[in-house]
Amino acid sequence: MPKSTEKQETAQHQSKRLSRTPLEKGIHHGKKALSLTVRVGNYIRNIPIIAHFIRATLRFNDRMGNQFGAAITYFSFLSLIPILMLSFAIAGFILASNPDLLAKLINGIANSISDPTLANTLKNSVDTAIKQRTTVGLTGLAIALYSGVNWVSNLRQAILAQFHPVWVRNQEDNEKIYFKYLRDSISLIGLLLALVITLSLTSIAGSAQATIVKMLGLDGIEWLRPSWFLIGLAISISANYLLFLWLFWVLPRHQPERKALLKGTLMAAIGFEALKYIMTMTLPRLANSPSGAAFGSVIGLMTFFYLFARLTLFCAAWIATADNNHKNTE
C-alpha cells in the first residue's frame, strides 16, 4: 500500500476521532472500561483458590445450605430442653444424697431473697425437683436420646446434600426404621465421644502447659507470652480438627477425596476457633444491656448454633468442589 494512502487513512481516522461528540466519547471510554473490568474479573475468577471459593458458594446455595443451617439450629436448640431436664434430675439426685448441701442451698435461697413468697416458691421448686428426680430424669433421658438421634440424622443428611454429585434422596430412606435409629444412635454416641475427647484434649493440654510453664519458672517472662498463646491456640485448633474430621469422614458414611477432606477439615477447625473467640468477646457485652440480660443467652446460643451449622455445611461444600471432585462431576 502506498505511503500516501496510509497517510490519508490515518488522517481520516484522526478526523473522525476528533469529530466525535462528548456522548460518543463517553460511550467509547465506557466500553473500554467495561472490557477492562471483564478481563480483570475473568483473571481473578481463574485464580484457583477464588475459583474454588465460588464453586463452594454456588454448591452451598444450590443445596439449600442456609435452610439446612436454620433447621440444624432449630433441632440443636430444641435438644437443650431434655438436656436441662436431665441436668435438673442429676442435681436432684446429688442434693438428695447430700443433706448438708441441700440445707446450704435452701439457706442460701432464704438469705439472698428478701421476698418471703418468692423464697418459698423457690424452696418448693427445689423440693419438687428432688421428689420427682427419677421421673424427670427418665423422661429427659428418653427425649434427649430421641432428639439427639434426629439431630444427628438431620446433620448427616445436610452434609450429604453438599457431598453428593447429584442431590437426590438416597437409599437410606428405605431402611428399616429400627435399623436406621440404631445406626443414628451409634453415630450420636460417636459424636459425644468425639466431643468428650476434643474438650478433654483442650482442657488437659492447657492445664499441662500452664503447670509446666510454672514449674520451669517461665510464667513471669513477658516476651514468651505470645508463644504460650500460640501453643494453646494450636492445641485448640487440633482438637477442633478431630471433631470436624469425625463430622466429615465418619458421620456421613461417605468417603470424599482425601486431600480435599484434610484441607476442608483444617479450614473448618480454624473457622470454629475464630467463631468461639468472637462469641466469647461478644456475649459478655450483649449481657450488659437490659434486653441482653433477659434474652442474651438464648440469642447467643441460637447464633452460635446457626454459625456452626453454616460453617460445617460450607466446608462440606468446599470439600465436595475440590479440583478433582469438580472435574469428575463435569
Side-chain angles (χ1 to χ4, degrees):
M1 183 180 293
K3 292 184 179 181
S4 58
T5 306
E6 291 180 358
K7 290 181 179 180
Q8 291 178 358
E9 291 180 354
T10 303
Q12 290 177 359
H13 179 71
Q14 290 178 351
S15 62
K16 288 181 179 180
R17 186 174 58 182
L18 294 174
S19 62
R20 287 176 180 170
T21 63
L23 178 60
E24 291 176 340
K25 291 181 179 180
I27 294 174
H28 176 70
H29 290 304
K31 288 181 179 180
K32 291 178 65 177
L34 181 61
S35 177
L36 178 62
T37 303
V38 171
R39 287 198 300 270
V40 172
N42 290 333
Y43 174 78
I44 294 175
R45 288 175 57 187
N46 289 328
I47 298 175
I49 189 172
I50 296 179
H52 191 180
F53 179 82
I54 294 173
R55 293 198 305 269
T57 303
L58 293 175
R59 171 70 69 96
F60 177 84
N61 293 327
D62 182 62
R63 304 295 174 85
M64 300 176 64
N66 292 315
Q67 290 83 347
F68 273 118
I72 293 171
T73 303
Y74 170 77
F75 285 107
S76 300
F77 192 76
L78 192 64
S79 299
L80 292 178
I81 297 175
I83 293 175
L84 290 175
M85 294 174 62
L86 189 60
S87 301
F88 279 120
I90 294 173
F93 278 103
I94 294 174
L95 292 174
S97 60
N98 195 335
D100 295 335
L101 183 60
L102 177 59
K104 290 181 180 179
L105 177 62
I106 293 177
N107 291 332
I109 293 174
N111 295 330
S112 60
I113 298 177
S114 58
D115 187 359
T117 304
L118 181 58
N120 290 329
T121 301
L122 291 176
K123 290 179 182 179
N124 293 331
S125 299
V126 173
D127 292 336
T128 303
I130 294 174
K131 292 177 182 178
Q132 299 181 358
R133 60 187 183 275
T134 303
T135 303
V136 173
L138 292 176
T139 304
L141 180 61
I143 299 176
L145 287 174
Y146 176 78
S147 60
V149 166
N150 283 285
W151 181 85
V152 168
S153 177
N154 291 322
L155 179 61
R156 185 179 64 252
Q157 292 297 331
I159 294 175
L160 284 175
Q162 303 295 331
F163 275 168
H164 283 165
V166 180
W167 184 27
V168 293
R169 295 180 64 87
N170 53 28
Q171 297 299 321
E172 188 182 358
D173 294 335
N174 298 326
E175 287 182 338
K176 299 291 184 181
I177 187 169
Y178 62 84
F179 186 66
K180 178 180 178 181
Y181 273 96
L182 177 61
R183 294 179 65 177
D184 289 338
S185 299
I186 296 174
S187 298
L188 177 62
I189 295 172
L191 177 59
L192 293 177
L193 289 175
L195 285 173
V196 169
I197 294 173
T198 299
L199 296 176
S200 300
L201 179 62
T202 303
S203 178
I204 294 173
S207 300
Q209 176 192 348
T211 303
I212 294 172
V213 170
K214 188 174 182 180
M215 288 177 59
L216 296 176
L218 301 176
D219 52 338
I221 303 177
E222 294 293 333
W223 62 272
L224 284 178
R225 291 186 181 274
S227 301
W228 308 137
F229 171 77
L230 293 177
I231 293 173
L233 182 64
I235 294 172
S236 182
I237 291 176
S238 299
N240 297 339
Y241 191 91
L242 295 177
L243 174 62
F244 281 99
L245 186 62
W246 191 91
L247 287 177
F248 293 142
W249 189 29
V250 180
L251 178 64
R253 308 184 193 115
H254 176 82
Q255 301 299 325
E257 197 267 330
R258 184 64 57 86
K259 186 177 179 180
L261 172 65
L262 298 179
K263 288 184 177 180
T265 303
L266 179 60
M267 183 174 67
I270 296 173
F272 187 57
E273 190 62 28
L275 175 60
K276 289 191 294 183
Y277 179 78
I278 292 172
M279 296 302 296
T280 303
M281 298 294 293
T282 304
L283 287 180
R285 297 180 181 179
L286 182 63
N288 292 332
S289 63
S291 59
F295 305 104
S297 58
V298 176
I299 296 173
L301 278 174
M302 294 188 69
T303 303
F304 177 78
F305 285 143
Y306 183 59
L307 294 178
F308 166 77
R310 284 177 59 94
L311 173 67
T312 303
L313 297 182
F314 181 80
C315 290
W318 178 279
I319 294 171
T321 53
D323 288 338
N324 293 339
N325 296 334
H326 181 67
K327 291 175 182 177
N328 292 336
T329 57
E330 288 182 343

